Short mmCIF file of all heavy atoms in Angstrom, two decimals:
data_model
loop_
_atom_site.label_atom_id
_atom_site.label_comp_id
_atom_site.label_asym_id
_atom_site.label_seq_id
_atom_site.Cartn_x
_atom_site.Cartn_y
_atom_site.Cartn_z
N MET Q 1488 -1.79 8.55 -3.55
CA MET Q 1488 -0.98 8.30 -4.73
C MET Q 1488 0.36 7.76 -4.29
O MET Q 1488 1.06 8.38 -3.51
CB MET Q 1488 -0.83 9.60 -5.51
CG MET Q 1488 0.13 9.50 -6.68
SD MET Q 1488 0.24 11.09 -7.51
CE MET Q 1488 0.37 10.51 -9.16
N ASP Q 1489 0.72 6.59 -4.73
CA ASP Q 1489 2.02 6.02 -4.40
C ASP Q 1489 3.05 6.48 -5.40
O ASP Q 1489 2.80 6.55 -6.59
CB ASP Q 1489 1.96 4.49 -4.41
CG ASP Q 1489 1.11 3.96 -3.27
OD1 ASP Q 1489 0.95 4.70 -2.28
OD2 ASP Q 1489 0.64 2.83 -3.36
N VAL Q 1490 4.22 6.79 -4.90
CA VAL Q 1490 5.31 7.22 -5.75
C VAL Q 1490 6.44 6.22 -5.61
O VAL Q 1490 6.91 5.97 -4.52
CB VAL Q 1490 5.81 8.63 -5.33
CG1 VAL Q 1490 6.95 9.07 -6.22
CG2 VAL Q 1490 4.67 9.63 -5.40
N GLY Q 1491 6.88 5.64 -6.72
CA GLY Q 1491 7.93 4.63 -6.67
C GLY Q 1491 9.05 4.93 -7.63
O GLY Q 1491 9.28 4.18 -8.56
N THR Q 1492 9.77 6.01 -7.43
CA THR Q 1492 10.90 6.35 -8.27
C THR Q 1492 12.18 6.10 -7.51
O THR Q 1492 12.17 5.81 -6.32
CB THR Q 1492 10.86 7.82 -8.72
OG1 THR Q 1492 11.02 8.65 -7.58
CG2 THR Q 1492 9.56 8.16 -9.43
N LYS Q 1493 13.31 6.25 -8.17
CA LYS Q 1493 14.60 6.06 -7.53
C LYS Q 1493 14.80 7.03 -6.36
O LYS Q 1493 15.53 6.74 -5.44
CB LYS Q 1493 15.73 6.24 -8.55
CG LYS Q 1493 15.75 5.17 -9.59
CD LYS Q 1493 16.86 5.40 -10.60
CE LYS Q 1493 16.79 4.34 -11.69
NZ LYS Q 1493 17.81 4.56 -12.71
N ASN Q 1494 14.16 8.19 -6.42
CA ASN Q 1494 14.32 9.19 -5.37
C ASN Q 1494 13.34 9.00 -4.22
O ASN Q 1494 13.40 9.73 -3.24
CB ASN Q 1494 14.11 10.60 -5.95
CG ASN Q 1494 15.17 10.97 -6.94
OD1 ASN Q 1494 16.27 10.44 -6.91
ND2 ASN Q 1494 14.84 11.87 -7.84
N HIS Q 1495 12.44 8.07 -4.33
CA HIS Q 1495 11.42 7.87 -3.31
C HIS Q 1495 11.38 6.42 -2.88
O HIS Q 1495 11.62 5.51 -3.66
CB HIS Q 1495 10.03 8.26 -3.85
CG HIS Q 1495 9.92 9.70 -4.18
ND1 HIS Q 1495 10.33 10.22 -5.38
CD2 HIS Q 1495 9.47 10.73 -3.45
CE1 HIS Q 1495 10.12 11.51 -5.39
NE2 HIS Q 1495 9.60 11.86 -4.23
N LYS Q 1496 11.02 6.22 -1.63
CA LYS Q 1496 10.80 4.86 -1.16
C LYS Q 1496 9.51 4.33 -1.78
O LYS Q 1496 8.58 5.07 -2.02
CB LYS Q 1496 10.67 4.85 0.36
CG LYS Q 1496 11.93 5.23 1.09
CD LYS Q 1496 11.68 5.23 2.58
CE LYS Q 1496 12.92 5.67 3.32
NZ LYS Q 1496 12.68 5.75 4.76
N THR Q 1497 9.45 3.05 -2.01
CA THR Q 1497 8.24 2.44 -2.54
C THR Q 1497 7.11 2.64 -1.54
O THR Q 1497 7.31 2.56 -0.34
CB THR Q 1497 8.47 0.94 -2.79
OG1 THR Q 1497 9.57 0.81 -3.69
CG2 THR Q 1497 7.25 0.28 -3.41
N ASN Q 1498 5.94 2.92 -2.05
CA ASN Q 1498 4.72 3.13 -1.25
C ASN Q 1498 4.74 4.41 -0.43
O ASN Q 1498 3.94 4.56 0.47
CB ASN Q 1498 4.44 1.94 -0.34
CG ASN Q 1498 4.12 0.70 -1.12
OD1 ASN Q 1498 3.51 0.77 -2.18
ND2 ASN Q 1498 4.54 -0.44 -0.61
N GLN Q 1499 5.65 5.32 -0.71
CA GLN Q 1499 5.62 6.62 -0.03
C GLN Q 1499 4.47 7.41 -0.60
O GLN Q 1499 4.28 7.46 -1.81
CB GLN Q 1499 6.93 7.37 -0.24
CG GLN Q 1499 7.00 8.67 0.51
CD GLN Q 1499 8.35 9.33 0.36
OE1 GLN Q 1499 9.20 8.86 -0.35
NE2 GLN Q 1499 8.52 10.44 1.03
N ARG Q 1500 3.69 8.01 0.25
CA ARG Q 1500 2.49 8.73 -0.19
C ARG Q 1500 2.73 10.24 -0.14
O ARG Q 1500 3.44 10.73 0.71
CB ARG Q 1500 1.32 8.36 0.67
CG ARG Q 1500 0.97 6.89 0.53
CD ARG Q 1500 -0.30 6.57 1.27
NE ARG Q 1500 -0.57 5.16 1.18
CZ ARG Q 1500 -1.35 4.62 0.24
NH1 ARG Q 1500 -1.92 5.37 -0.64
NH2 ARG Q 1500 -1.55 3.32 0.22
N LEU Q 1501 2.08 10.92 -1.07
CA LEU Q 1501 2.13 12.38 -1.09
C LEU Q 1501 1.10 12.93 -0.11
O LEU Q 1501 0.01 12.37 0.03
CB LEU Q 1501 1.82 12.89 -2.50
CG LEU Q 1501 2.80 12.50 -3.59
CD1 LEU Q 1501 2.29 12.95 -4.95
CD2 LEU Q 1501 4.17 13.07 -3.32
N SER Q 1502 1.43 14.01 0.52
CA SER Q 1502 0.48 14.64 1.44
C SER Q 1502 -0.57 15.41 0.65
O SER Q 1502 -0.39 15.69 -0.54
CB SER Q 1502 1.21 15.60 2.39
OG SER Q 1502 1.61 16.76 1.67
N ILE Q 1503 -1.62 15.80 1.31
CA ILE Q 1503 -2.67 16.59 0.67
C ILE Q 1503 -2.10 17.91 0.17
O ILE Q 1503 -2.50 18.42 -0.87
CB ILE Q 1503 -3.87 16.81 1.63
CG1 ILE Q 1503 -5.05 17.43 0.89
CG2 ILE Q 1503 -3.48 17.67 2.80
CD1 ILE Q 1503 -5.72 16.51 -0.08
N PHE Q 1504 -1.12 18.45 0.89
CA PHE Q 1504 -0.50 19.71 0.48
C PHE Q 1504 0.33 19.54 -0.79
O PHE Q 1504 0.32 20.39 -1.67
CB PHE Q 1504 0.35 20.27 1.62
CG PHE Q 1504 -0.43 20.50 2.87
CD1 PHE Q 1504 -0.27 19.66 3.96
CD2 PHE Q 1504 -1.36 21.53 2.96
CE1 PHE Q 1504 -1.01 19.86 5.12
CE2 PHE Q 1504 -2.11 21.73 4.11
CZ PHE Q 1504 -1.93 20.89 5.19
N GLU Q 1505 1.03 18.41 -0.89
CA GLU Q 1505 1.82 18.12 -2.09
C GLU Q 1505 0.90 17.88 -3.29
O GLU Q 1505 1.18 18.34 -4.40
CB GLU Q 1505 2.71 16.92 -1.86
CG GLU Q 1505 3.84 17.22 -0.88
CD GLU Q 1505 4.53 15.97 -0.38
OE1 GLU Q 1505 3.85 14.97 -0.08
OE2 GLU Q 1505 5.76 16.03 -0.31
N LEU Q 1506 -0.19 17.17 -3.06
CA LEU Q 1506 -1.15 16.95 -4.14
C LEU Q 1506 -1.77 18.26 -4.61
O LEU Q 1506 -1.94 18.47 -5.82
CB LEU Q 1506 -2.25 15.98 -3.69
CG LEU Q 1506 -1.80 14.53 -3.49
CD1 LEU Q 1506 -2.92 13.72 -2.87
CD2 LEU Q 1506 -1.34 13.93 -4.80
N GLU Q 1507 -2.08 19.15 -3.68
CA GLU Q 1507 -2.62 20.45 -4.04
C GLU Q 1507 -1.59 21.26 -4.82
O GLU Q 1507 -1.94 21.93 -5.80
CB GLU Q 1507 -3.07 21.22 -2.79
CG GLU Q 1507 -3.65 22.58 -3.08
CD GLU Q 1507 -4.91 22.53 -3.94
OE1 GLU Q 1507 -5.65 21.54 -3.91
OE2 GLU Q 1507 -5.15 23.51 -4.67
N ALA Q 1508 -0.33 21.19 -4.43
CA ALA Q 1508 0.73 21.90 -5.16
C ALA Q 1508 0.87 21.34 -6.58
O ALA Q 1508 1.03 22.11 -7.54
CB ALA Q 1508 2.06 21.79 -4.41
N LEU Q 1509 0.79 20.02 -6.72
CA LEU Q 1509 0.85 19.41 -8.05
C LEU Q 1509 -0.35 19.83 -8.89
O LEU Q 1509 -0.22 20.13 -10.08
CB LEU Q 1509 0.91 17.89 -7.95
CG LEU Q 1509 2.25 17.30 -7.57
CD1 LEU Q 1509 2.11 15.82 -7.26
CD2 LEU Q 1509 3.27 17.53 -8.68
N ARG Q 1510 -1.51 19.86 -8.28
CA ARG Q 1510 -2.72 20.26 -9.00
C ARG Q 1510 -2.62 21.70 -9.49
O ARG Q 1510 -2.93 22.00 -10.65
CB ARG Q 1510 -3.94 20.09 -8.11
CG ARG Q 1510 -5.25 20.32 -8.82
CD ARG Q 1510 -6.40 19.97 -7.96
NE ARG Q 1510 -6.80 21.14 -7.19
CZ ARG Q 1510 -7.96 21.26 -6.57
NH1 ARG Q 1510 -8.82 20.26 -6.60
NH2 ARG Q 1510 -8.26 22.34 -5.93
N GLU Q 1511 -2.15 22.58 -8.63
CA GLU Q 1511 -1.99 23.98 -9.01
C GLU Q 1511 -0.91 24.14 -10.08
O GLU Q 1511 -1.07 24.92 -11.02
CB GLU Q 1511 -1.66 24.85 -7.80
CG GLU Q 1511 -1.57 26.32 -8.12
CD GLU Q 1511 -2.81 26.87 -8.83
OE1 GLU Q 1511 -3.93 26.46 -8.49
OE2 GLU Q 1511 -2.65 27.71 -9.74
N ALA Q 1512 0.18 23.38 -9.97
CA ALA Q 1512 1.23 23.43 -10.98
C ALA Q 1512 0.70 22.94 -12.33
O ALA Q 1512 1.04 23.50 -13.38
CB ALA Q 1512 2.43 22.60 -10.54
N PHE Q 1513 -0.14 21.91 -12.31
CA PHE Q 1513 -0.74 21.42 -13.54
C PHE Q 1513 -1.65 22.49 -14.16
O PHE Q 1513 -1.58 22.75 -15.36
CB PHE Q 1513 -1.54 20.13 -13.30
CG PHE Q 1513 -2.24 19.63 -14.52
CD1 PHE Q 1513 -1.52 19.00 -15.53
CD2 PHE Q 1513 -3.60 19.80 -14.69
CE1 PHE Q 1513 -2.16 18.55 -16.68
CE2 PHE Q 1513 -4.25 19.35 -15.82
CZ PHE Q 1513 -3.52 18.72 -16.83
N ARG Q 1514 -2.47 23.10 -13.34
CA ARG Q 1514 -3.35 24.17 -13.84
C ARG Q 1514 -2.54 25.30 -14.47
O ARG Q 1514 -2.89 25.82 -15.52
CB ARG Q 1514 -4.20 24.73 -12.71
CG ARG Q 1514 -5.30 23.81 -12.26
CD ARG Q 1514 -6.06 24.46 -11.13
NE ARG Q 1514 -7.20 23.65 -10.75
CZ ARG Q 1514 -7.90 23.85 -9.66
NH1 ARG Q 1514 -7.60 24.83 -8.83
NH2 ARG Q 1514 -8.92 23.08 -9.38
N ARG Q 1515 -1.46 25.69 -13.80
CA ARG Q 1515 -0.59 26.75 -14.31
C ARG Q 1515 0.03 26.33 -15.64
O ARG Q 1515 0.08 27.10 -16.60
CB ARG Q 1515 0.49 27.10 -13.29
CG ARG Q 1515 1.36 28.26 -13.67
CD ARG Q 1515 2.33 28.67 -12.56
NE ARG Q 1515 3.09 27.56 -12.01
CZ ARG Q 1515 2.96 27.09 -10.78
NH1 ARG Q 1515 2.10 27.63 -9.93
NH2 ARG Q 1515 3.69 26.07 -10.37
N SER Q 1516 0.47 25.08 -15.72
CA SER Q 1516 1.06 24.55 -16.95
C SER Q 1516 0.04 24.56 -18.09
O SER Q 1516 0.37 24.90 -19.22
CB SER Q 1516 1.58 23.13 -16.71
OG SER Q 1516 2.13 22.60 -17.88
N VAL Q 1517 -1.20 24.20 -17.78
CA VAL Q 1517 -2.26 24.22 -18.79
C VAL Q 1517 -2.46 25.63 -19.32
O VAL Q 1517 -2.54 25.85 -20.54
CB VAL Q 1517 -3.58 23.65 -18.20
CG1 VAL Q 1517 -4.78 23.99 -19.09
CG2 VAL Q 1517 -3.46 22.14 -18.01
N ARG Q 1518 -2.51 26.60 -18.41
CA ARG Q 1518 -2.69 28.00 -18.83
C ARG Q 1518 -1.50 28.50 -19.64
O ARG Q 1518 -1.67 29.11 -20.70
CB ARG Q 1518 -2.89 28.90 -17.60
CG ARG Q 1518 -4.23 28.78 -16.94
CD ARG Q 1518 -4.45 29.86 -15.89
NE ARG Q 1518 -3.38 29.95 -14.91
CZ ARG Q 1518 -3.36 29.32 -13.74
NH1 ARG Q 1518 -4.37 28.53 -13.42
NH2 ARG Q 1518 -2.37 29.47 -12.90
N GLU Q 1519 -0.29 28.25 -19.13
CA GLU Q 1519 0.92 28.76 -19.79
C GLU Q 1519 1.16 28.14 -21.16
O GLU Q 1519 1.75 28.78 -22.03
CB GLU Q 1519 2.14 28.53 -18.90
CG GLU Q 1519 2.14 29.39 -17.65
CD GLU Q 1519 3.26 29.04 -16.68
OE1 GLU Q 1519 4.01 28.08 -16.94
OE2 GLU Q 1519 3.37 29.75 -15.66
N ASN Q 1520 0.71 26.90 -21.33
CA ASN Q 1520 0.92 26.19 -22.59
C ASN Q 1520 -0.31 26.18 -23.49
O ASN Q 1520 -0.33 25.47 -24.50
CB ASN Q 1520 1.40 24.76 -22.31
CG ASN Q 1520 2.76 24.74 -21.69
OD1 ASN Q 1520 3.75 25.09 -22.32
ND2 ASN Q 1520 2.83 24.37 -20.42
N ASP Q 1521 -1.35 26.91 -23.10
CA ASP Q 1521 -2.59 26.98 -23.87
C ASP Q 1521 -3.12 25.59 -24.25
O ASP Q 1521 -3.46 25.32 -25.40
CB ASP Q 1521 -2.39 27.82 -25.14
CG ASP Q 1521 -2.10 29.27 -24.83
OD1 ASP Q 1521 -2.72 29.81 -23.90
OD2 ASP Q 1521 -1.24 29.85 -25.52
N VAL Q 1522 -3.18 24.71 -23.26
CA VAL Q 1522 -3.65 23.34 -23.47
C VAL Q 1522 -5.17 23.35 -23.45
O VAL Q 1522 -5.78 23.85 -22.50
CB VAL Q 1522 -3.09 22.39 -22.39
CG1 VAL Q 1522 -3.62 20.97 -22.58
CG2 VAL Q 1522 -1.57 22.41 -22.40
N THR Q 1523 -5.78 22.78 -24.48
CA THR Q 1523 -7.23 22.69 -24.52
C THR Q 1523 -7.70 21.54 -23.63
O THR Q 1523 -6.94 20.63 -23.31
CB THR Q 1523 -7.75 22.45 -25.95
OG1 THR Q 1523 -7.31 21.16 -26.38
CG2 THR Q 1523 -7.26 23.52 -26.91
N GLU Q 1524 -8.95 21.58 -23.25
CA GLU Q 1524 -9.50 20.52 -22.40
C GLU Q 1524 -9.36 19.15 -23.06
O GLU Q 1524 -9.09 18.15 -22.39
CB GLU Q 1524 -10.96 20.81 -22.07
CG GLU Q 1524 -11.52 19.91 -21.01
CD GLU Q 1524 -12.90 20.34 -20.54
OE1 GLU Q 1524 -13.30 21.48 -20.80
OE2 GLU Q 1524 -13.56 19.50 -19.91
N ALA Q 1525 -9.48 19.10 -24.37
CA ALA Q 1525 -9.35 17.83 -25.10
C ALA Q 1525 -7.92 17.28 -25.01
O ALA Q 1525 -7.72 16.07 -25.16
CB ALA Q 1525 -9.73 18.03 -26.57
N GLU Q 1526 -6.95 18.13 -24.73
CA GLU Q 1526 -5.54 17.71 -24.66
C GLU Q 1526 -5.06 17.45 -23.23
O GLU Q 1526 -3.91 17.10 -23.03
CB GLU Q 1526 -4.65 18.79 -25.29
CG GLU Q 1526 -4.93 19.05 -26.75
CD GLU Q 1526 -4.22 20.29 -27.26
OE1 GLU Q 1526 -4.21 21.32 -26.54
OE2 GLU Q 1526 -3.66 20.23 -28.36
N TRP Q 1527 -5.93 17.65 -22.24
CA TRP Q 1527 -5.53 17.53 -20.85
C TRP Q 1527 -4.95 16.16 -20.50
O TRP Q 1527 -3.98 16.08 -19.76
CB TRP Q 1527 -6.70 17.82 -19.92
CG TRP Q 1527 -6.97 19.28 -19.71
CD1 TRP Q 1527 -6.44 20.33 -20.41
CD2 TRP Q 1527 -7.84 19.85 -18.75
NE1 TRP Q 1527 -6.93 21.51 -19.94
CE2 TRP Q 1527 -7.80 21.25 -18.92
CE3 TRP Q 1527 -8.66 19.32 -17.78
CZ2 TRP Q 1527 -8.54 22.12 -18.13
CZ3 TRP Q 1527 -9.40 20.18 -17.00
CH2 TRP Q 1527 -9.34 21.56 -17.17
N ALA Q 1528 -5.54 15.09 -20.99
CA ALA Q 1528 -5.06 13.75 -20.64
C ALA Q 1528 -3.61 13.55 -21.08
O ALA Q 1528 -2.77 13.09 -20.28
CB ALA Q 1528 -5.96 12.68 -21.26
N ARG Q 1529 -3.31 13.91 -22.31
CA ARG Q 1529 -1.95 13.75 -22.80
C ARG Q 1529 -1.00 14.68 -22.05
O ARG Q 1529 0.10 14.29 -21.65
CB ARG Q 1529 -1.86 14.02 -24.28
CG ARG Q 1529 -0.44 13.75 -24.80
CD ARG Q 1529 -0.20 14.25 -26.17
NE ARG Q 1529 -0.93 13.48 -27.17
CZ ARG Q 1529 -0.65 13.53 -28.45
NH1 ARG Q 1529 0.32 14.28 -28.88
NH2 ARG Q 1529 -1.35 12.83 -29.31
N HIS Q 1530 -1.44 15.91 -21.84
CA HIS Q 1530 -0.61 16.88 -21.11
C HIS Q 1530 -0.36 16.40 -19.68
O HIS Q 1530 0.76 16.52 -19.17
CB HIS Q 1530 -1.29 18.26 -21.12
CG HIS Q 1530 -0.45 19.33 -20.52
ND1 HIS Q 1530 0.67 19.83 -21.14
CD2 HIS Q 1530 -0.56 19.99 -19.34
CE1 HIS Q 1530 1.21 20.77 -20.37
NE2 HIS Q 1530 0.47 20.88 -19.28
N ALA Q 1531 -1.38 15.84 -19.04
CA ALA Q 1531 -1.24 15.33 -17.67
C ALA Q 1531 -0.21 14.21 -17.61
O ALA Q 1531 0.61 14.15 -16.69
CB ALA Q 1531 -2.58 14.85 -17.14
N GLU Q 1532 -0.24 13.33 -18.59
CA GLU Q 1532 0.72 12.22 -18.63
C GLU Q 1532 2.15 12.76 -18.70
O GLU Q 1532 3.02 12.33 -17.94
CB GLU Q 1532 0.43 11.32 -19.83
CG GLU Q 1532 1.33 10.12 -19.91
CD GLU Q 1532 1.00 9.23 -21.10
OE1 GLU Q 1532 -0.11 9.34 -21.65
OE2 GLU Q 1532 1.88 8.44 -21.48
N HIS Q 1533 2.39 13.70 -19.59
CA HIS Q 1533 3.73 14.28 -19.72
C HIS Q 1533 4.10 15.09 -18.48
O HIS Q 1533 5.24 15.06 -18.03
CB HIS Q 1533 3.81 15.17 -20.97
CG HIS Q 1533 3.71 14.39 -22.24
ND1 HIS Q 1533 4.68 13.53 -22.67
CD2 HIS Q 1533 2.74 14.35 -23.18
CE1 HIS Q 1533 4.32 12.99 -23.81
NE2 HIS Q 1533 3.13 13.46 -24.14
N PHE Q 1534 3.13 15.79 -17.92
CA PHE Q 1534 3.36 16.60 -16.73
C PHE Q 1534 3.80 15.72 -15.56
O PHE Q 1534 4.76 16.04 -14.86
CB PHE Q 1534 2.08 17.37 -16.39
CG PHE Q 1534 2.20 18.20 -15.15
CD1 PHE Q 1534 2.73 19.47 -15.21
CD2 PHE Q 1534 1.76 17.71 -13.93
CE1 PHE Q 1534 2.83 20.24 -14.06
CE2 PHE Q 1534 1.87 18.47 -12.78
CZ PHE Q 1534 2.40 19.74 -12.85
N VAL Q 1535 3.10 14.62 -15.33
CA VAL Q 1535 3.44 13.73 -14.22
C VAL Q 1535 4.80 13.09 -14.42
O VAL Q 1535 5.61 13.02 -13.49
CB VAL Q 1535 2.33 12.67 -14.01
CG1 VAL Q 1535 2.78 11.59 -13.03
CG2 VAL Q 1535 1.06 13.33 -13.54
N LYS Q 1536 5.07 12.63 -15.63
CA LYS Q 1536 6.39 12.05 -15.90
C LYS Q 1536 7.49 13.05 -15.62
O LYS Q 1536 8.50 12.73 -15.00
CB LYS Q 1536 6.47 11.55 -17.34
CG LYS Q 1536 5.71 10.29 -17.59
CD LYS Q 1536 5.80 9.86 -19.04
CE LYS Q 1536 4.98 8.62 -19.29
NZ LYS Q 1536 5.02 8.22 -20.70
N ARG Q 1537 7.29 14.28 -16.07
CA ARG Q 1537 8.29 15.34 -15.85
C ARG Q 1537 8.40 15.65 -14.36
O ARG Q 1537 9.49 15.87 -13.84
CB ARG Q 1537 7.89 16.58 -16.64
CG ARG Q 1537 8.95 17.64 -16.71
CD ARG Q 1537 8.58 18.77 -17.66
NE ARG Q 1537 7.36 19.46 -17.21
CZ ARG Q 1537 6.24 19.55 -17.91
NH1 ARG Q 1537 6.15 19.01 -19.10
NH2 ARG Q 1537 5.19 20.20 -17.44
N ALA Q 1538 7.28 15.66 -13.65
CA ALA Q 1538 7.27 15.97 -12.23
C ALA Q 1538 8.00 14.92 -11.41
O ALA Q 1538 8.59 15.24 -10.37
CB ALA Q 1538 5.84 16.12 -11.73
N LEU Q 1539 7.98 13.69 -11.87
CA LEU Q 1539 8.62 12.61 -11.12
C LEU Q 1539 10.10 12.42 -11.46
O LEU Q 1539 10.78 11.65 -10.80
CB LEU Q 1539 7.87 11.30 -11.34
CG LEU Q 1539 6.45 11.27 -10.78
CD1 LEU Q 1539 5.78 9.94 -11.12
CD2 LEU Q 1539 6.44 11.52 -9.29
N GLN Q 1540 10.58 13.13 -12.46
CA GLN Q 1540 11.98 13.02 -12.84
C GLN Q 1540 12.87 13.61 -11.76
O GLN Q 1540 12.49 14.53 -11.04
CB GLN Q 1540 12.26 13.73 -14.16
CG GLN Q 1540 11.70 13.02 -15.35
CD GLN Q 1540 11.93 13.80 -16.64
OE1 GLN Q 1540 12.34 14.94 -16.62
NE2 GLN Q 1540 11.63 13.17 -17.75
N LYS Q 1541 14.07 13.07 -11.68
CA LYS Q 1541 15.06 13.55 -10.71
C LYS Q 1541 15.29 15.05 -10.87
O LYS Q 1541 15.45 15.53 -11.98
CB LYS Q 1541 16.38 12.81 -10.90
CG LYS Q 1541 17.44 13.21 -9.92
CD LYS Q 1541 18.70 12.43 -10.14
CE LYS Q 1541 19.76 12.88 -9.14
NZ LYS Q 1541 20.99 12.14 -9.30
N GLY Q 1542 15.31 15.76 -9.76
CA GLY Q 1542 15.61 17.18 -9.77
C GLY Q 1542 14.44 18.07 -10.09
O GLY Q 1542 14.58 19.28 -10.17
N SER Q 1543 13.27 17.51 -10.28
CA SER Q 1543 12.11 18.33 -10.59
C SER Q 1543 11.72 19.16 -9.37
O SER Q 1543 11.67 18.66 -8.26
CB SER Q 1543 10.93 17.45 -10.99
OG SER Q 1543 9.76 18.24 -11.12
N PRO Q 1544 11.40 20.44 -9.57
CA PRO Q 1544 10.97 21.27 -8.45
C PRO Q 1544 9.60 20.88 -7.91
O PRO Q 1544 9.20 21.35 -6.87
CB PRO Q 1544 10.93 22.68 -9.04
CG PRO Q 1544 10.77 22.48 -10.50
CD PRO Q 1544 11.43 21.18 -10.82
N LEU Q 1545 8.90 19.98 -8.60
CA LEU Q 1545 7.56 19.59 -8.17
C LEU Q 1545 7.57 18.43 -7.20
O LEU Q 1545 6.55 18.06 -6.65
CB LEU Q 1545 6.70 19.21 -9.38
CG LEU Q 1545 6.49 20.32 -10.41
CD1 LEU Q 1545 5.70 19.78 -11.57
CD2 LEU Q 1545 5.78 21.49 -9.78
N THR Q 1546 8.74 17.81 -6.99
CA THR Q 1546 8.82 16.67 -6.10
C THR Q 1546 9.71 16.99 -4.92
O THR Q 1546 10.53 17.89 -4.95
CB THR Q 1546 9.36 15.41 -6.81
OG1 THR Q 1546 10.63 15.72 -7.36
CG2 THR Q 1546 8.41 14.96 -7.90
N ARG Q 1547 9.55 16.18 -3.88
CA ARG Q 1547 10.40 16.33 -2.69
C ARG Q 1547 11.79 15.80 -2.99
O ARG Q 1547 11.95 14.87 -3.75
CB ARG Q 1547 9.84 15.51 -1.54
CG ARG Q 1547 8.52 15.94 -1.05
CD ARG Q 1547 8.17 15.11 0.13
NE ARG Q 1547 7.41 13.95 -0.33
CZ ARG Q 1547 6.75 13.15 0.43
NH1 ARG Q 1547 6.77 13.33 1.72
NH2 ARG Q 1547 6.07 12.14 -0.05
N ALA Q 1548 12.77 16.35 -2.33
CA ALA Q 1548 14.16 15.85 -2.45
C ALA Q 1548 14.35 14.67 -1.53
O ALA Q 1548 13.69 14.48 -0.58
CB ALA Q 1548 15.14 16.95 -2.12
#
């Protein structure tokens, strides 16, 4: 997965450990927000956008 935000160099890749952390954070978010399987796509879109925002605990500094 390439990440191209202001905080990241273009074409910087996430490690398998970072991807696993994102996956687990998404699962936790789904549980905490009672997201149904039918809503996962929309929730994932918002989750990724939020994760890539500056200062997010889900991304590297």
Side-chain angles (χ1 to χ4, degrees):
M1488 173 181 217
D1489 292 338
V1490 179
T1492 66
K1493 293 179 184 178
N1494 295 335
H1495 295 85
K1496 294 179 183 176
T1497 303
N1498 295 326
Q1499 184 176 3
R1500 296 186 183 267
L1501 297 174
S1502 72
I1503 189 70
F1504 302 107
E1505 290 166 318
L1506 290 173
E1507 180 61 29
L1509 282 170
R1510 187 172 90 163
E1511 183 54 38
F1513 177 75
R1514 287 179 175 168
R1515 185 174 50 247
S1516 179
V1517 165
R1518 286 190 307 267
E1519 290 173 357
N1520 293 292
D1521 295 321
V1522 178
T1523 66
E1524 190 171 344
E1526 299 169 317
W1527 279 12
R1529 184 192 290 196
H1530 185 72
E1532 183 179 341
H1533 292 292
F1534 178 85
V1535 170
K1536 286 179 182 178
R1537 191 172 62 240
L1539 294 177
Q1540 288 177 350
K1541 182 179 179 179
S1543 172
L1545 299 177
T1546 57
R1547 295 184 268 193

